[in-house]
Amino acid sequence: MQYSADFVALHSHHANVQVAERQMAFRRAAEERGSGDAGASPEPAGRRHRAARHAPRLALR
């Protein structure tokens, strides 16, 4: 029982570390985007293809 509790605690710790690293990378990227010339216009953001995520999937039978 103790082994499984330690196992869960260890993996939840690793998951928390990964989330924190992802947030730090996101903030770092946002700071880099914001640190450019204030007078220069920002580059237009590319279109995001969200439809691919929500495309219907055919049932394979």
Side-chain angles (χ1 to χ4, degrees), residues 22-51:
R22 200 172 328 134
Q23 289 175 349
M24 288 171 45
F26 181 75
R27 289 179 186 154
R28 192 178 312 119
E31 288 174 0
E32 288 175 1
R33 281 193 310 265
S35 66
D37 278 343
S41 63
E43 296 178 10
R47 291 189 61 179
R48 295 182 186 228
H49 301 283
R50 295 180 186 208

Side-chain angles (χ1 to χ4, degrees), residues 1-2 7 11 13-14 17 25 29-33 35 37-42 45 49-50 56-57 61:
M1 188 61 117
Q2 182 63 35
F7 186 74
H11 284 286
H13 170 73
H14 285 297
V17 168
E31 288 174 0
E32 288 175 1
R33 281 193 310 265
S35 66
D37 278 343
S41 63
H49 301 283
R50 295 180 186 208
R57 295 183 181 155
R61 292 185 181 192

